[in-house]
């Protein structure tokens, strides 16, 4: 009731995860619905698969009655509660009619768009369909209309929630509107993972399965699940129940965790499990001594460590071998970045957001970037290649963030150090 800055919200990030509500964990959408229902909102949902729908069937019946009042049989706006439109143009028009065309209800209205990136996708006007462009404009108009009604205490309150995994996948004119607020749903931190592990263990006891045994103490198990969503942790427990001995062994987590994170990252991140340490590296005593000191500092959680290291050298000299050995000796998470560049508008930025979200949730960690000169791009990109400019700027800003110094350590491997920007 105190909000006055926006009536439209884009919820992005960890939107497909579960979140605590009362004595249970529910989806992001169910959480928002519960909060709105508590405030007395009429909730209307839409996605391109299921079409328009009301959360409460009684409200759907009442809408049909009011919409068809004083209309003949052949002129009905909606024939029944089973005939709400699936087509986005018709559905959004119907939703608008419910919000502003039928004022007999004093209750506020909340509109929830699932998979909003499929309703108003990002892209250049030349590549978008006419429907996509119309939907984008309609939602911008909704945001402004709902905002204007929010300023008028006599008007019926209306709010719009748009869910999307990545903010770059939605039409940017909509996202960047000053009457639209973007809200990132972060991946779970250590405390959130601890609470969920305790909840799931208690749930297993109530269901008669008994607690899952573990090779780790409580703090170690929380640390071992860094980078996973709560849904991923749920999958770990569900698989562990089916294993012999019903145990979360170190081997079981080492096998399952990389699979869950790589699947969650859509293959953009590879979790490294190096088999050798610095003891397997011959010679290079000065390099080994430096990495040994750095590994110890990272394990101890010190912040006074380098942001990272550039490892130049010709192909085959052993850059990757030494990087993996350092990662193993450090005893912390280690990931390698895959090709994150996309061919569609906004896809590269979307992929980077996914990568950064995972890296933040896995701290402390080491990030290995092979062929760094190609991956990072350059500040002197060609006139026609603006993606390289944005990639370079995004990476340098993230690497330079003092919040992650000593938490994310970068290993940039390249055979062409002269191709890297001076930064």
């Amino acid at each position: 009731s105190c909000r006055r800055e926006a009536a439209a919200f884009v919820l992005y990030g960890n939107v497909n995860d579960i979140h605590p509500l009362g004595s249970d964990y529910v989806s992001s959408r169910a959480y928002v619905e519960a909060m709105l229902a508590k405030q007395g909102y009429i909730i209307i949902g839409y996605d391109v698969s299921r079409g328009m729908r009301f959360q409460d069937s009684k409200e759907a019946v009442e809408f049909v009655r009011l919409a068809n009042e004083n209309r003949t049989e052949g002129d009905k706006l909606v024939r029944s509660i089973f005939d709400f439109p699936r087509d986005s143009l018709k559905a959004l028009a119907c939703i608008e009619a419910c919000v502003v065309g039928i004022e007999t209800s004093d209750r506020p209205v909340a509109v929830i768009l699932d998979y909003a990136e499929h309703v108003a996708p990002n892209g250049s006007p030349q590549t978008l369909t006419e429907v996509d462009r119309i939907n984008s404009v309609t939602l911008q108009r909704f945001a402004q209309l709902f905002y204007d009604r929010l300023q008028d205490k006599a008007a019926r309150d209306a709010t719009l929630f748009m869910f999307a995994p990545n903010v770059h996948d939605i039409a940017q004119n909509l996202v960047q509107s000053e009457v639209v607020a973007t809200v990132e749903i972060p991946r779970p931190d250590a405390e959130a993972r601890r609470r969920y592990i305790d909840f799931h263990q208690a749930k297993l006891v109530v269901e008669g399965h008994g607690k899952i045994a573990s090779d780790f103490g409580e703090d170690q198990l929380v640390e071992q699940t860094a980078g996973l969503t709560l849904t991923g942790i749920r999958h770990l427990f569900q698989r562990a129940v089916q294993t012999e001995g019903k145990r979360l062994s170190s081997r079981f987590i080492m096998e399952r965790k990389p699979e869950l994170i790589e699947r969650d990252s859509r293959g953009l991140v590879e979790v490294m499990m190096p088999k050798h340490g610095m003891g397997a590296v011959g010679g290079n005593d000065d390099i080994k001594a430096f990495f040994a000191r750095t590994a110890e500092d990272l394990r101890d959680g010190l912040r006074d460590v380098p942001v990272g290291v550039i490892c130049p050298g010709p192909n085959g000299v052993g850059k990757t071998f030494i990087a993996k050995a350092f990662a193993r000796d450090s005893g912390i998470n280690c990931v390698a970045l895959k090709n994150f560049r996309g061919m569609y508008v906004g896809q590269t930025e979307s992929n980077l957001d996914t990568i950064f979200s995972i890296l933040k949730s896995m701290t402390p960690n080491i990030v290995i970037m092979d062929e760094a000169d190609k991956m990072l791009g350059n500040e002197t990109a060609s006139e026609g290649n603006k993606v390289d400019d944005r990639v370079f700027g995004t990476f340098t800003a993230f690497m330079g963030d003092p919040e992650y110094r000593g938490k994310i350590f970068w290993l940039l491997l390249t055979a062409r150090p002269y191709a890297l920007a001076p930064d």
Side-chain angles (χ1 to χ4, degrees), residues 296-323:
E296 185 178 352
D297 290 344
L298 290 171
R299 278 197 306 273
D300 292 343
L302 299 183
R303 304 298 296 273
D304 187 20
V305 295
V307 170
V309 172
I310 296 176
C311 304
N315 293 327
V317 79
K319 300 186 298 294
T320 305
F321 189 86
I322 293 176

Side-chain angles (χ1 to χ4, degrees), residues 335-377:
V335 300
L337 301 190
K338 298 295 193 68
N339 181 24
F340 50 77
R341 294 174 183 268
M343 61 184 293
Y344 301 110
V345 173
Q347 189 176 6
T348 298
E349 290 86 346
S350 173
N351 291 342
L352 286 179
D353 278 359
T354 299
I355 290 170
F356 292 161
S357 175
I358 291 173
L359 295 184
K360 291 174 186 177
S361 68
M362 289 183 72
T363 57
N365 58 44
I366 292 168
V367 184
I368 297 177
M369 190 183 298
D370 217 342
E371 297 192 331
D373 55 293
K374 292 182 179 178
M375 295 274 277
L376 285 176

